[in-house]
mmCIF file of all heavy atoms in Angstrom:
data_model
loop_
_atom_site.group_PDB
_atom_site.id
_atom_site.type_symbol
_atom_site.label_atom_id
_atom_site.label_comp_id
_atom_site.label_asym_id
_atom_site.label_seq_id
_atom_site.Cartn_x
_atom_site.Cartn_y
_atom_site.Cartn_z
ATOM 1 N N VAL A 83 -167.104 -125.247 -69.622
ATOM 2 C CA VAL A 83 -166.617 -125.706 -70.972
ATOM 3 C C VAL A 83 -167.860 -126.211 -71.755
ATOM 4 O O VAL A 83 -167.992 -125.905 -72.945
ATOM 5 C CB VAL A 83 -165.614 -126.850 -70.771
ATOM 6 C CG1 VAL A 83 -165.206 -127.494 -72.144
ATOM 7 C CG2 VAL A 83 -164.353 -126.297 -70.111
ATOM 8 N N ILE A 84 -168.721 -126.995 -71.162
ATOM 9 C CA ILE A 84 -169.914 -127.453 -71.932
ATOM 10 C C ILE A 84 -170.777 -126.260 -72.405
ATOM 11 O O ILE A 84 -171.159 -126.226 -73.533
ATOM 12 C CB ILE A 84 -170.800 -128.375 -70.983
ATOM 13 C CG1 ILE A 84 -170.028 -129.698 -70.754
ATOM 14 C CG2 ILE A 84 -172.154 -128.683 -71.632
ATOM 15 C CD1 ILE A 84 -170.656 -130.543 -69.640
ATOM 16 N N LEU A 85 -171.035 -125.301 -71.541
ATOM 17 C CA LEU A 85 -171.769 -124.122 -71.963
ATOM 18 C C LEU A 85 -171.051 -123.296 -73.022
ATOM 19 O O LEU A 85 -171.695 -122.713 -73.901
ATOM 20 C CB LEU A 85 -172.125 -123.309 -70.740
ATOM 21 C CG LEU A 85 -173.166 -123.757 -69.782
ATOM 22 C CD1 LEU A 85 -173.345 -122.886 -68.572
ATOM 23 C CD2 LEU A 85 -174.518 -124.032 -70.495
ATOM 24 N N PHE A 86 -169.780 -123.229 -72.897
ATOM 25 C CA PHE A 86 -168.997 -122.496 -73.912
ATOM 26 C C PHE A 86 -169.179 -123.153 -75.280
ATOM 27 O O PHE A 86 -169.424 -122.492 -76.278
ATOM 28 C CB PHE A 86 -167.500 -122.455 -73.526
ATOM 29 C CG PHE A 86 -166.604 -121.742 -74.532
ATOM 30 C CD1 PHE A 86 -166.571 -120.347 -74.431
ATOM 31 C CD2 PHE A 86 -165.861 -122.433 -75.413
ATOM 32 C CE1 PHE A 86 -165.770 -119.657 -75.363
ATOM 33 C CE2 PHE A 86 -165.072 -121.766 -76.332
ATOM 34 C CZ PHE A 86 -165.024 -120.376 -76.299
ATOM 35 N N ILE A 87 -169.026 -124.526 -75.331
ATOM 36 C CA ILE A 87 -169.201 -125.197 -76.579
ATOM 37 C C ILE A 87 -170.622 -125.075 -77.087
ATOM 38 O O ILE A 87 -170.884 -124.808 -78.312
ATOM 39 C CB ILE A 87 -168.811 -126.714 -76.397
ATOM 40 C CG1 ILE A 87 -167.320 -126.818 -76.139
ATOM 41 C CG2 ILE A 87 -169.198 -127.568 -77.604
ATOM 42 C CD1 ILE A 87 -166.894 -128.198 -75.624
ATOM 43 N N LEU A 88 -171.662 -125.157 -76.190
ATOM 44 C CA LEU A 88 -172.969 -125.014 -76.587
ATOM 45 C C LEU A 88 -173.237 -123.596 -77.188
ATOM 46 O O LEU A 88 -173.871 -123.489 -78.242
ATOM 47 C CB LEU A 88 -173.933 -125.147 -75.394
ATOM 48 C CG LEU A 88 -175.398 -124.861 -75.599
ATOM 49 C CD1 LEU A 88 -176.003 -125.848 -76.553
ATOM 50 C CD2 LEU A 88 -176.128 -124.860 -74.259
ATOM 51 N N GLU A 89 -172.660 -122.574 -76.596
ATOM 52 C CA GLU A 89 -172.804 -121.201 -77.077
ATOM 53 C C GLU A 89 -172.228 -121.096 -78.505
ATOM 54 O O GLU A 89 -172.847 -120.474 -79.350
ATOM 55 C CB GLU A 89 -172.104 -120.233 -76.180
ATOM 56 C CG GLU A 89 -172.112 -118.793 -76.627
ATOM 57 C CD GLU A 89 -171.303 -117.879 -75.808
ATOM 58 O OE1 GLU A 89 -170.266 -118.291 -75.225
ATOM 59 O OE2 GLU A 89 -171.710 -116.674 -75.708
ATOM 60 N N ARG A 90 -171.047 -121.692 -78.724
ATOM 61 C CA ARG A 90 -170.481 -121.559 -80.074
ATOM 62 C C ARG A 90 -171.256 -122.313 -81.093
ATOM 63 O O ARG A 90 -171.432 -121.788 -82.221
ATOM 64 C CB ARG A 90 -168.989 -122.164 -80.044
ATOM 65 C CG ARG A 90 -168.072 -121.411 -79.191
ATOM 66 C CD ARG A 90 -167.874 -119.972 -79.711
ATOM 67 N NE ARG A 90 -167.018 -119.258 -78.805
ATOM 68 C CZ ARG A 90 -167.094 -117.956 -78.643
ATOM 69 N NH1 ARG A 90 -167.988 -117.225 -79.242
ATOM 70 N NH2 ARG A 90 -166.292 -117.334 -77.788
ATOM 71 N N ILE A 91 -171.812 -123.472 -80.784
ATOM 72 C CA ILE A 91 -172.626 -124.229 -81.697
ATOM 73 C C ILE A 91 -173.904 -123.461 -82.015
ATOM 74 O O ILE A 91 -174.304 -123.344 -83.188
ATOM 75 C CB ILE A 91 -172.972 -125.617 -81.128
ATOM 76 C CG1 ILE A 91 -171.709 -126.462 -81.085
ATOM 77 C CG2 ILE A 91 -174.059 -126.296 -81.940
ATOM 78 C CD1 ILE A 91 -171.857 -127.813 -80.340
ATOM 79 N N VAL A 92 -174.601 -122.942 -81.006
ATOM 80 C CA VAL A 92 -175.801 -122.205 -81.193
ATOM 81 C C VAL A 92 -175.599 -120.972 -82.001
ATOM 82 O O VAL A 92 -176.379 -120.650 -82.904
ATOM 83 C CB VAL A 92 -176.506 -121.890 -79.868
ATOM 84 C CG1 VAL A 92 -177.608 -120.868 -80.028
ATOM 85 C CG2 VAL A 92 -176.997 -123.152 -79.160
ATOM 86 N N GLU A 93 -174.508 -120.241 -81.693
ATOM 87 C CA GLU A 93 -174.211 -119.026 -82.514
ATOM 88 C C GLU A 93 -173.922 -119.340 -83.963
ATOM 89 O O GLU A 93 -174.394 -118.669 -84.856
ATOM 90 C CB GLU A 93 -173.054 -118.286 -81.929
ATOM 91 C CG GLU A 93 -173.384 -117.550 -80.629
ATOM 92 C CD GLU A 93 -172.229 -116.723 -80.056
ATOM 93 O OE1 GLU A 93 -171.115 -116.813 -80.621
ATOM 94 O OE2 GLU A 93 -172.461 -116.004 -79.093
ATOM 95 N N LEU A 94 -173.269 -120.484 -84.215
ATOM 96 C CA LEU A 94 -172.964 -120.900 -85.588
ATOM 97 C C LEU A 94 -174.266 -121.237 -86.329
ATOM 98 O O LEU A 94 -174.472 -120.880 -87.441
ATOM 99 C CB LEU A 94 -172.062 -122.083 -85.551
ATOM 100 C CG LEU A 94 -171.625 -122.687 -86.924
ATOM 101 C CD1 LEU A 94 -170.846 -121.582 -87.764
ATOM 102 C CD2 LEU A 94 -170.813 -123.862 -86.760
ATOM 103 N N VAL A 95 -175.164 -121.991 -85.659
ATOM 104 C CA VAL A 95 -176.474 -122.442 -86.235
ATOM 105 C C VAL A 95 -177.261 -121.194 -86.570
ATOM 106 O O VAL A 95 -177.827 -121.099 -87.661
ATOM 107 C CB VAL A 95 -177.141 -123.418 -85.335
ATOM 108 C CG1 VAL A 95 -178.632 -123.609 -85.796
ATOM 109 C CG2 VAL A 95 -176.450 -124.747 -85.261
ATOM 110 N N PHE A 96 -177.348 -120.294 -85.628
ATOM 111 C CA PHE A 96 -178.186 -119.052 -85.843
ATOM 112 C C PHE A 96 -177.573 -118.233 -86.989
ATOM 113 O O PHE A 96 -178.323 -117.634 -87.775
ATOM 114 C CB PHE A 96 -178.259 -118.216 -84.590
ATOM 115 C CG PHE A 96 -179.455 -118.570 -83.736
ATOM 116 C CD1 PHE A 96 -179.391 -119.759 -82.942
ATOM 117 C CD2 PHE A 96 -180.594 -117.773 -83.650
ATOM 118 C CE1 PHE A 96 -180.494 -120.060 -82.117
ATOM 119 C CE2 PHE A 96 -181.603 -118.079 -82.872
ATOM 120 C CZ PHE A 96 -181.591 -119.243 -82.104
ATOM 121 N N ARG A 97 -176.266 -118.131 -87.061
ATOM 122 C CA ARG A 97 -175.623 -117.412 -88.112
ATOM 123 C C ARG A 97 -175.880 -118.056 -89.502
ATOM 124 O O ARG A 97 -176.173 -117.415 -90.476
ATOM 125 C CB ARG A 97 -174.149 -117.267 -87.867
ATOM 126 C CG ARG A 97 -173.465 -116.141 -88.650
ATOM 127 C CD ARG A 97 -171.976 -115.960 -88.274
ATOM 128 N NE ARG A 97 -171.776 -115.835 -86.850
ATOM 129 C CZ ARG A 97 -170.976 -116.622 -86.151
ATOM 130 N NH1 ARG A 97 -170.327 -117.584 -86.723
ATOM 131 N NH2 ARG A 97 -170.884 -116.464 -84.835
ATOM 132 N N MET A 98 -175.739 -119.397 -89.532
ATOM 133 C CA MET A 98 -175.874 -120.150 -90.837
ATOM 134 C C MET A 98 -177.304 -120.234 -91.302
ATOM 135 O O MET A 98 -177.606 -120.006 -92.469
ATOM 136 C CB MET A 98 -175.274 -121.534 -90.704
ATOM 137 C CG MET A 98 -173.736 -121.520 -90.554
ATOM 138 S SD MET A 98 -173.068 -123.168 -90.249
ATOM 139 C CE MET A 98 -173.572 -124.048 -91.667
ATOM 140 N N ILE A 99 -178.189 -120.497 -90.395
ATOM 141 C CA ILE A 99 -179.568 -120.811 -90.808
ATOM 142 C C ILE A 99 -180.421 -119.506 -90.790
ATOM 143 O O ILE A 99 -181.176 -119.248 -91.763
ATOM 144 C CB ILE A 99 -180.255 -121.811 -89.843
ATOM 145 C CG1 ILE A 99 -179.564 -123.182 -90.042
ATOM 146 C CG2 ILE A 99 -181.740 -121.888 -90.082
ATOM 147 C CD1 ILE A 99 -180.057 -124.219 -89.079
ATOM 148 N N LEU A 102 -178.348 -114.568 -88.315
ATOM 149 C CA LEU A 102 -178.357 -113.805 -87.109
ATOM 150 C C LEU A 102 -177.036 -113.995 -86.384
ATOM 151 O O LEU A 102 -176.761 -115.052 -85.867
ATOM 152 C CB LEU A 102 -179.535 -114.252 -86.238
ATOM 153 C CG LEU A 102 -179.910 -113.470 -85.034
ATOM 154 C CD1 LEU A 102 -180.373 -112.090 -85.390
ATOM 155 C CD2 LEU A 102 -181.040 -114.195 -84.271
ATOM 156 N N LEU A 104 -175.404 -113.341 -83.139
ATOM 157 C CA LEU A 104 -175.721 -112.976 -81.810
ATOM 158 C C LEU A 104 -174.629 -112.126 -81.130
ATOM 159 O O LEU A 104 -174.894 -111.169 -80.457
ATOM 160 C CB LEU A 104 -176.081 -114.230 -80.968
ATOM 161 C CG LEU A 104 -177.257 -115.040 -81.403
ATOM 162 C CD1 LEU A 104 -177.433 -116.280 -80.554
ATOM 163 C CD2 LEU A 104 -178.522 -114.161 -81.489
ATOM 164 N N PHE A 122 -179.670 -119.252 -73.639
ATOM 165 C CA PHE A 122 -179.131 -120.550 -73.906
ATOM 166 C C PHE A 122 -178.220 -121.014 -72.733
ATOM 167 O O PHE A 122 -178.203 -122.209 -72.308
ATOM 168 C CB PHE A 122 -178.373 -120.675 -75.201
ATOM 169 C CG PHE A 122 -179.301 -120.544 -76.398
ATOM 170 C CD1 PHE A 122 -179.172 -119.486 -77.230
ATOM 171 C CD2 PHE A 122 -180.229 -121.517 -76.634
ATOM 172 C CE1 PHE A 122 -180.076 -119.363 -78.322
ATOM 173 C CE2 PHE A 122 -181.074 -121.439 -77.754
ATOM 174 C CZ PHE A 122 -180.956 -120.362 -78.554
ATOM 175 N N HIS A 123 -177.551 -120.046 -72.116
ATOM 176 C CA HIS A 123 -176.744 -120.329 -70.926
ATOM 177 C C HIS A 123 -177.589 -120.795 -69.769
ATOM 178 O O HIS A 123 -177.269 -121.713 -69.017
ATOM 179 C CB HIS A 123 -175.827 -119.209 -70.575
ATOM 180 C CG HIS A 123 -174.640 -119.095 -71.471
ATOM 181 N ND1 HIS A 123 -173.466 -119.763 -71.285
ATOM 182 C CD2 HIS A 123 -174.508 -118.410 -72.646
ATOM 183 C CE1 HIS A 123 -172.642 -119.465 -72.242
ATOM 184 N NE2 HIS A 123 -173.269 -118.658 -73.085
#
Side-chain angles (χ1 to χ4, degrees):
V83 172
I84 291 169
L85 287 177
F86 181 81
I87 293 169
L88 173 66
E89 177 184 32
R90 296 297 177 210
I91 291 170
V92 167
E93 285 182 357
L94 180 65
V95 168
F96 271 75
R97 198 175 310 121
M98 290 174 59
I99 293 175
L102 189 63
L104 297 178
F122 291 115
H123 283 272

